Amino acid sequence: MTQWGRLREVGRLERRTVGAAALEVGAVGLGCMPMSWAYTASRRDGEESVRAVHTALDHGTTLLDTADMYGPFTNELLLGRVLKERRADAFVATKCGLLVGEQHLVANGRPGYVRRACDASLRRLQTDTIDLYQLHRVDPEVPIEETWGAMAELVATGKVRALGLCAVGARADRRAGAGAGLYDLTIRHLVRAQQVFPVSSVQAELSVWAPEALDELLPWCAARGVGFLAAMPLGNGFLTGTLTPGQGFEPDDIRARHPRFTAEMMAANQPLVAGLRRVAERHGATPAQVALAWTLAQAPGVVPVPGAKSARWTAENAAAAALALEPADLAEIAALPPARGAWA
């Protein structure tokens, strides 16, 4: 029996704390976005997604990460079906601050909107309290102090337990100015928000093929006791080893427009998957589990939040928390060639 098989039977998961509030969650979270948004619509299955959430909770994956914009709104409604029965088993993390338009996304950080958005999310999620309320994007037209102050009021009223901030994407931070660090803009926002109310978590991309947050953002969080939710730790599915170069994606799938998912770049980045597979074979694990274990090994405050929409993948992801990589494994992964085809 493989190590994964043994771990799956045990069904236990390491616990980690998020932020100064010491909010305890399972070491691996569940990103719920693929169940309702951004990935191929023809492959969505609401009933299977509900089973996936139940399976995640059964395996100790307590942090369920969603947002009002996923769908929009349908992802929170889906989670509400589960939370109605199992609220005590879950750590609910949702987001506000982005509105879905016809062809684009619009940031909205106005205090009145934040209050209305929170109330609407509570109704859809069928709960009285959101454990972690995250600002999806900072509105460039509203001082973050105003937005964060409105969110802090939600904590005071008991509607929210803690606050988090999603990092500005790499492309936006590159526009912050010549010579600026990749996450300089995000860190400036964090410093200002901290002066209003404690930031419990930051969510940003972190994976073997996107390790940029290790340079400045993760050290900033670790030095201040801020939890780090690692978004896309499986590289939008690429690091699972289940995607093949040239397979193509339907037009509504975000990967159809991602520079790393062209046939040329997927082929060029195969050495990353091959390296993860070599490590996985030594441990009786899968490449995805090795990718998640690598993310967990970066700092005690890191909680990877892989997206998944089937019970099979949520069970496999949860088992990664028990995979302890050796120093030699981490060194081998560090020596792999960097990913090609980054966002421009």
Side-chain angles (χ1 to χ4, degrees), residues 130 133 149-163 197-198:
I130 293 166
Y133 203 37
M151 296 175 71
E153 291 175 7
L154 298 172
V155 178
T157 62
K159 294 180 179 180
V160 171
R161 293 179 63 200
L163 304 181
F197 190 85

Side-chain angles (χ1 to χ4, degrees), residues 182-203:
L182 192 59
Y183 287 108
D184 280 3
L185 182 58
T186 292
I187 291 174
R188 289 201 296 272
H189 288 152
L190 286 166
V191 170
R192 292 168 60 186
Q194 284 280 46
Q195 295 174 353
V196 177
F197 190 85
V199 178
S200 286
S201 70
V202 172
Q203 183 165 169

Side-chain angles (χ1 to χ4, degrees), residues 76-325:
E76 289 185 331
L77 289 168
L78 185 152
L79 285 185
R81 294 170 55 187
V82 178
L83 295 174
K84 185 177 181 180
E85 303 174 15
R86 303 187 62 176
R87 181 63 182 91
D89 298 330
F91 181 96
V92 181
T94 191
K95 312 176 191 76
C96 70
L98 273 181
L99 306 179
V100 181
E102 284 288 329
Q103 299 291 333
H104 60 283
L105 304 176
V106 179
N108 189 338
R110 294 179 176 85
Y113 158 75
V114 168
R115 299 183 190 103
R116 293 191 299 273
C118 180
D119 288 341
S121 289
L122 288 168
R123 288 193 297 271
R124 287 188 291 267
L125 292 165
Q126 301 195 53
T127 184
D128 296 324
T129 307
I130 293 166
D131 295 306
L132 180 66
Y133 203 37
Q134 302 165 93
L135 181 59
H136 220 150
R137 288 294 182 272
V138 175
D139 187 337
E141 298 183 358
V142 179
I144 189 172
E145 291 83 356
E146 294 184 15
T147 306
W148 206 252
M151 296 175 71
E153 291 175 7
L154 298 172
V155 178
T157 62
K159 294 180 179 180
V160 171
R161 293 179 63 200
L163 304 181
L165 180 72
C166 294
V168 176
R171 287 172 294 167
D173 255 5
R174 285 196 179 99
R175 291 196 296 268
L182 192 59
Y183 287 108
D184 280 3
L185 182 58
T186 292
I187 291 174
R188 289 201 296 272
H189 288 152
L190 286 166
V191 170
R192 292 168 60 186
Q194 284 280 46
Q195 295 174 353
V196 177
F197 190 85
V199 178
S200 286
S201 70
V202 172
Q203 183 165 169
E205 184 174 8
L206 177 61
S207 70
V208 172
W209 85 338
E212 292 84 1
L214 298 178
D215 294 335
E216 293 182 88
L217 187 57
L218 181 56
W220 189 95
C221 293
R224 292 160 180 81
V226 175
F228 190 97
L229 306 187
M232 296 173 278
L234 298 179
N236 299 99
F238 183 79
L239 299 178
T240 66
T242 61
L243 303 178
T244 56
Q247 70 175 63
F249 299 94
E250 294 183 20
D252 62 337
D253 193 311
I254 58 171
R255 292 171 292 189
R257 303 181 299 279
H258 196 306
R260 286 185 182 167
F261 285 97
T262 64
E264 178 187 2
M265 286 300 100
M266 288 181 71
N269 287 320
Q270 286 302 308
L272 277 173
V273 176
L276 295 177
R277 186 172 284 116
R278 286 193 297 272
V279 175
E281 288 172 352
R282 294 200 294 268
H283 290 276
T286 67
Q289 289 173 327
V290 172
L292 292 174
W294 176 91
T295 306
L296 286 163
Q298 301 312 304
V302 173
V303 177
V305 187
K309 55 187 176 184
S310 74
R312 172 189 175 185
W313 301 128
T314 56
E316 178 179 331
N317 292 342
L323 174 57
L325 297 178

